[in-house]
Amino acid sequence: MEHDPRVSHAGAGGILFDVAGESFELAKQHRLWALAESLAAQPIPGLRETVLGINNVLLIVDPLVTHPGRVTEQLLRRWETVEPSVPDSRDVEIDVQYGGEGGEDLASIAAHAGMSANEVVEVHSGAVYTVACLGSMPGFPYLVGLPSRLHVPRRKVPRLRLREGSVIIAGAQASVLPCAGPCGWHVLGWAGVSLFDPEAPVPCLLAPGDRVHFRSESID
Amino acid sequence: MLEVLTNGALNIVVDSGRYGFMGIGVSHAGPMDALALDIANALVDNDPEAAAIEVSIFPFRVAFLADMVIAVTGAPCTAELGRRRIPPYWATRARAGDILSLHPPELGARAYLAAAGGLAVSPVLGSRSTEVKGSFGGLQGRALRRGDRLDVDLEEADEQSFPHGAAGFGVLTETLTAYWRELHTGTVKLRVLPAAEYNEFTERARRDFAKASYQVTGESNRTGARLSGDPLALRFRRELLSHGIVPGTIQVPPSGEPIVQLVEANTCGGYPKIATVIECDLWKCGQMRPRTRLTFQLVDLEEAIEALKDDAAELQELKNTVRGQSCRTPMPS
């Protein structure tokens, strides 16, 4: 059964439009991509930010230009009529050095999943992932499509620092770190890939809808 | 040009912020006390988007290598230009060779130094603000160090409009003095709007949140302020999918002690949100220190919008006052 969208305020100018059910649904994300496209093509006056989340979208408007109540009406109307769309997407291959120093959690994930390290690599690199959205930190992709055998809750104590290029998983999600930072996810390996360059004409390597394929370069 | 004479891991170049890139994970960054930056720019007749220095580490010293008009705003601190004391929220003329010293403030946490014309660093993704986490923007994406030289866009500066030879001028609004009084008592009131999970907190949590006070802890910076106080409990736990969050979001992690997300917060989060500090009160968070106590006053959407209108009107009035002061002074022949 489909829930009605939940609309809440994030300050005077923030509107969180949440269509999530119990768990992530790719079909709803397709409709959200289309909704975001419609907002880009026919913006609501005063719209400052469109932030796609996982089965939700946050808008930031200047509430003195368009009243948030009107924004909500617009969003609900567009949501009802929007046709799901898959954005122009690409297939991106990312070579991973699994395990070793750059993939400290490979052994513990293997133990948790009741598999060998090689099997974890096979499962992780055998799946095709979809970029649901970008966010959190610059260029960070939220990847969906992690096989359920590798679903492991976040670390109890986050690491204070993981290096750029760390290939990570947590719960049903997978990603690659675009810059070094603290992280509560598990690290399976390292990839020498640049996901974000603020000086580039297109700053992010990945965009919502892109498919990511991890390839095993080495296992340590 | 000006030259920084002191190191400070948190002294950075900021402008009004980086907008339009939250969708790719880039936070607004910009000033922690946006009101102070707005007033600093207004005092030297800059565009509101002009870049200035946010000072969080004191003492801060800078040498002016050319004549320029400057303004110092933000936390009321002892400011000396050479041997001359500069009052808070003050604009004055600095001569080549002058040294400005900002001493640790008695109240508040951050001071702003603007120069007429604005700091001429290259914009990255549409803004000159330093993004500390992503290491871009500002001066080479990092904090200012001793020996750094910053160009001022003197062509943008309208020297004529500044009273020559005067000791300068300043502005103090009722809003500012009222907030300093609050900081002086140690307890600050922030207006908040209920957020998505507000009704999922227990009745007691909602009562505590509105009545109790929370203390800013030492684990607070430009990304957020961790608070300590009565833990806030949810009626039930459910997993939230990652969603966009704005500066001002008050998240409640499993410990129950709230975190106020600030200008360099991650653009997405997954913790339940009890409320959001309204836009008009966000600047106040920029002047909180560890041990400052916070109380939260719930307001509704219309009140939050009215507050924005009032603030816009007050800032416009202040800009008119500044223009009036500049124009009243006879032009030099």
Side-chain angles (χ1 to χ4, degrees):
Chain A
M1 191 193 91
E2 179 154 331
H3 295 271
D4 283 335
R6 290 179 297 274
V7 180
S8 58
H9 296 284
I15 295 117
L16 179 60
F17 189 81
D18 183 5
V19 298
E22 291 298 306
S23 57
F24 174 74
E25 292 165 63
L26 192 57
K28 281 182 181 165
Q29 200 70 10
H30 285 179
R31 276 175 80 188
L32 283 168
W33 287 336
L35 181 67
E37 271 173 19
S38 124
L39 287 165
Q42 293 164 286
I44 294 169
L47 181 62
R48 303 188 86 178
E49 302 276 6
T50 304
V51 190
L52 263 178
I54 310 281
N55 281 184
N56 56 63
V57 64
L58 170 78
L59 300 193
I60 302 179
V61 298
D62 179 345
L64 303 185
V65 175
T66 305
H67 190 281
R70 306 246 335 157
V71 177
T72 303
E73 283 168 25
Q74 283 262 349
L75 276 174
L76 286 169
R77 194 171 322 133
R78 291 189 194 204
W79 177 249
E80 287 309 317
T81 54
V82 80
E83 289 295 327
S85 86
V86 178
D88 287 338
S89 57
R90 299 177 311 143
D91 287 89
V92 178
E93 283 185 10
I94 295 177
D95 291 329
V96 184
Q97 296 168 18
Y98 284 98
E101 221 173 277
E104 277 184 342
D105 297 328
L106 181 61
S108 61
I109 292 293
H112 190 279
M115 292 185 236
S116 69
N118 282 352
E119 283 171 317
V120 170
V121 172
E122 254 172 54
V123 174
H124 182 262
S125 62
V128 179
Y129 301 83
T130 304
V131 180
C133 64
L134 299 174
S136 198
M137 62 177 85
F140 182 91
Y142 283 95
L143 301 178
V144 295
L146 182 71
S148 58
R149 295 163 70 193
L150 295 183
H151 292 190
V152 180
R154 278 159 203 252
R155 290 169 59 91
K156 285 208 177 71
V157 182
R159 280 194 178 86
L160 289 177
R161 191 176 170 85
L162 263 189
R163 68 195 280 213
E164 176 185 345
S166 293
V167 175
I168 53 180
I169 59 170
Q173 295 178 332
S175 193
V176 183
L177 268 188
C179 56
C183 187
W185 296 27
H186 305 273
V187 57
L188 297 183
W190 179 81
V193 62
S194 170
L195 290 156
F196 180 75
D197 175 1
E199 312 275 357
V202 181
C204 298
L205 173 70
L206 299 169
D210 285 348
R211 287 165 305 281
V212 172
H213 310 259
F214 292 110
R215 308 245 151 192
S216 172
E217 199 172 73
S218 60
I219 305 175
D220 196 356
Chain B
M1 189 179 279
L2 48 85
E3 182 173 329
V4 178
L5 303 178
T6 46
N7 288 314
L10 290 169
N11 298 334
I12 54 172
V13 173
V14 292
D15 65 1
S16 53
R18 188 170 278 109
Y19 293 91
F21 299 96
M22 264 184 83
I24 59 168
V26 177
S27 33
H28 288 160
M32 284 284 279
D33 179 349
L35 180 60
L37 178 65
D38 270 341
I39 297 177
N41 275 326
L43 280 171
V44 297
D45 206 20
N46 278 350
D47 286 340
E49 291 80 27
I53 299 176
E54 177 175 281
V55 179
S56 310
I57 305 290
F58 300 87
F60 172 75
R61 293 172 74 231
V62 66
F64 301 99
L65 306 183
D67 291 0
M68 61 184 84
V69 172
I70 60 161
V72 179
T73 64
C77 59
T78 302
E80 289 167 319
L81 185 63
R83 292 188 172 174
R84 187 155 60 89
R85 284 279 287 269
I86 303 179
Y89 287 78
W90 199 260
T92 187
R93 180 174 291 281
R95 301 286 176 196
D98 280 351
I99 289 176
L100 173 76
S101 306
L102 302 182
H103 299 283
E106 282 171 34
L107 289 173
R110 290 173 181 84
Y112 292 82
L113 167 63
L119 299 177
V121 298
S122 304
V124 179
L125 297 176
S127 162
R128 293 182 171 83
S129 283
T130 313
E131 157 74 40
V132 177
K133 191 172 41 174
S135 305
F136 62 88
L139 185 72
Q140 298 163 18
R142 60 167 175 80
L144 298 175
R145 295 198 283 252
R146 187 177 174 168
D148 281 340
R149 290 186 166 198
L150 288 159
D151 273 322
V152 173
D153 206 341
L154 288 173
E155 278 183 19
E156 286 288 316
D158 184 6
E159 294 255 335
Q160 290 299 309
S161 69
F162 197 79
H164 284 236
F169 62 88
V171 286
L172 266 191
T173 63
E174 176 51 32
T175 307
L176 289 172
T177 49
Y179 188 54
W180 292 350
R181 278 197 299 274
E182 269 193 277
L183 282 176
H184 192 72
T185 67
T187 303
V188 163
K189 184 180 74 188
L190 297 175
R191 290 169 291 179
V192 298
L193 200 59
E197 285 74 50
Y198 179 75
N199 286 317
E200 295 180 25
F201 285 86
T202 62
E203 204 171 303
R204 172 160 181 199
R206 282 177 276 158
R207 202 171 52 229
D208 283 349
F209 180 70
K211 289 225 171 104
S213 72
Y214 288 84
Q215 196 166 39
V216 177
T217 71
E219 284 179 82
S220 301
N221 52 33
R222 285 172 52 83
T223 63
R226 282 177 184 270
L227 309 181
S228 69
D230 291 336
L232 301 170
L234 287 151
R235 286 188 281 126
F236 49 90
R237 281 242 160 242
R238 71 183 171 94
E239 282 290 307
L240 296 177
L241 298 176
S242 292
H243 51 269
I245 56 172
V246 298
T249 301
I250 305 174
Q251 292 181 326
V252 182
S255 72
E257 293 187 306
I259 302 171
V260 186
Q261 298 293 336
L262 296 171
V263 295
E264 269 195 56
N266 285 350
T267 60
C268 287
Y271 289 134
K273 308 164 289 302
I274 190 164
T276 312
V277 178
I278 66 170
E279 288 87 337
C280 285
D281 281 358
L282 267 181
W283 66 274
K284 295 179 178 175
C285 297
Q287 299 297 356
M288 304 181 318
R289 289 185 193 179
R291 287 186 292 285
T292 301
R293 300 197 76 87
L294 306 183
T295 60
F296 298 109
Q297 181 198 350
L298 286 161
V299 297
D300 64 26
L301 179 63
E302 297 311 321
E303 288 172 293
I305 295 174
E306 274 311 304
L308 273 175
K309 285 185 189 160
D310 292 347
D311 275 20
E314 193 177 315
L315 189 62
Q316 191 52 50
E317 196 178 315
L318 186 142
K319 285 178 181 171
N320 295 343
T321 308
V322 169
R323 295 243 160 78
Q325 286 202 17
S326 309
C327 296
R328 271 203 304 278
T329 311
M331 290 289 169
S333 51

